[in-house]
Each structure stands twice: as C-alpha cells, then as structure tokens.
C-alpha cells in the first residue's frame, strides 16, 4: 500500500484553484480527471464540487464500505434503519404512559426494560400498553404526521379502552396542533 505523504494545505489550495475556474476550464479538467465529457445539464458549481470531491477522495480516501452500502440502499429507495444509526448502547429512553414512568436502556443487542432484555421496542410498547404499537414512535423517536389526542384520565384501577390508531404517535408538535386546528376550524 502506498504510504505517500499528503499535504492537506496543498489539497486545499488545489480545491480553491478549482473553485476559481471558468466553465470551459472545468470541463477540460473533468475530461482529464474522469476520461469523459461532463454530463449535459451539470452546472458550473456541480462540476466544480464533483472535481473537488475527487481530488479529496484521491488524496484522503473515499467513503467506507458501510457508507457506500447505505447510499446504494437509499438510491434504490430503501429506508435506512434509523434505530441502528441513532441509538447507541447506554442510551436511556423514558416514556410516561397512563401516569407511570417507563425507562428503557439501549444495550448492545437490544433493549432492557423492567430488568428483562428485549430485541424490539415494539414488544416493550405492547407490554406497556396492552396494544400493538410502533415502538420507535411510542418512545418518541419518530415524529408524528398528526398528533394523538391526549390520554383520558381514569379512576385508579380502570384501564382505558384503546383509542390509539396504528401509525400515529403520542408525540405532539406545535406545527401538527396548529395544522389540525386550522383544518377543523
């Protein structure tokens, strides 16, 4: 493997020089760098950015394999697993439901709730509520399109009939509340 010395200041100077080029000079540079004419419709700014990226990629290395796979999946229209990217072991999720506080700790292979390990937040949410829930939505990790009505206050010892619709979150946003008021008023 080539362990040549890379001068970050020289790379920065080369990128700055690319930014100062006119469109014809950028097209010539593109042809020299990529071995083809730049695609029609690319603006001067985009051509310059792509050349600058390639200069930096050649000097410092490209994207890691995991990022390339993620970008390929996104290009195919797949949705990324938000939980795998956002929740790190040790993260604590807190949710109050029907006046009771529930604490879930993220562990390396799942979640810990009530001194028991679970592989899914949805299973925990169902255990807490007695109804099917999207776990990430229940714990406020995904924003709702439309806010859920406030849970009813019941006398102690009585369970509320489930009025939760699937796909809705208990997270309230002022934007959602204002939108709902406007559509009902």
């Amino acid at each position: 493997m080539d362990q040549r010395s890379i001068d970050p200041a020289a790379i920065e100077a080369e990128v700055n020089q690319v930014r100062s080029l006119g469109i014809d000079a950028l097209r010539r540079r593109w042809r020299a760098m990529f071995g083809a004419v730049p695609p029609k419709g690319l603006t001067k700014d985009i051509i310059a950015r792509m050349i600058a990226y390639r200069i930096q990629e050649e000097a410092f290395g490209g994207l890691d394999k995991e990022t390339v796979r993620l970008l390929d999946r996104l290009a195919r229209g797949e949705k990324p697993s938000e939980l795998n990217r956002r929740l790190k072991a040790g993260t604590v999720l807190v949710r109050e439901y029907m006046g009771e506080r529930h604490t879930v700790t993220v562990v390396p292979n799942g979640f810990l709730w009530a001194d028991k390990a679970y592989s899914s937040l949805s299973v925990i949410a169902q255990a807490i509520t007695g109804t099917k829930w999207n776990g990430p939505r229940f714990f406020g990790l995904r924003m709702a399109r439309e806010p859920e009505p406030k849970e009813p206050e019941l006398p102690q010892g009585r369970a509320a009939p489930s009025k939760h619709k699937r796909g809705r979150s208990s997270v309230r946003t002022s934007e959602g509340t204002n939108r709902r008021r406007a559509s009902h008023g």
Side-chain angles (χ1 to χ4, degrees), residues 4 6 11 33 53-62:
R4 66 178 190 255
I6 296 170
I11 300 302
M33 186 170 270
Y53 176 83
R54 178 56 66 95
I55 292 167
Q56 294 171 20
E57 180 182 45
E58 288 175 354
F60 304 117

Side-chain angles (χ1 to χ4, degrees), residues 55-126:
I55 292 167
Q56 294 171 20
E57 180 182 45
E58 288 175 354
F60 304 117
L63 300 172
D64 60 82
K65 289 179 183 179
E66 185 178 330
T67 302
V68 170
R69 283 193 297 266
L70 171 65
L71 292 173
D72 285 341
R73 286 194 310 269
L74 292 172
R76 288 191 306 266
E78 294 179 30
K79 292 187 178 178
S81 173
E82 293 177 36
L83 291 179
N84 291 344
R85 290 186 301 131
R86 290 183 14 196
L87 296 179
K88 305 284 186 230
T91 300
V92 176
L93 306 172
V94 179
R95 170 67 150 90
E96 187 172 310
Y97 182 78
M98 300 295 286
E100 189 175 339
R101 184 180 202 159
H102 299 274
T103 303
V104 173
T105 303
V106 179
V107 293
N109 293 318
F111 307 93
L112 190 62
W113 173 69
D115 296 324
K116 187 175 174 192
Y118 294 85
S119 62
S120 163
L121 282 175
S122 296
V123 172
I124 297 171
Q126 184 174 358

Side-chain angles (χ1 to χ4, degrees), residues 40 52 68 86 97 112 129 131 138 147 150 153 155 158 180:
K40 291 191 185 301
V68 170
R86 290 183 14 196
Y97 182 78
L112 190 62
T129 66
T131 60
F138 179 79
K150 188 173 180 180
E153 295 290 327
R158 293 201 49 205
R180 218 167 91 190

Side-chain angles (χ1 to χ4, degrees), residues 1 8 18 26 28 31 78 83 92-93 99 101 113 118-119 126-127 133 137 153 156 163 166 176 179:
M1 184 144 239
V18 166
L26 284 170
R28 283 192 299 276
R31 281 191 297 275
E78 294 179 30
L83 291 179
V92 176
L93 306 172
R101 184 180 202 159
W113 173 69
Y118 294 85
S119 62
Q126 184 174 358
W133 267 88
R137 193 165 277 142
E153 295 290 327
Q156 241 180 334
K163 292 184 181 179
R166 292 184 77 173
R179 184 174 50 246

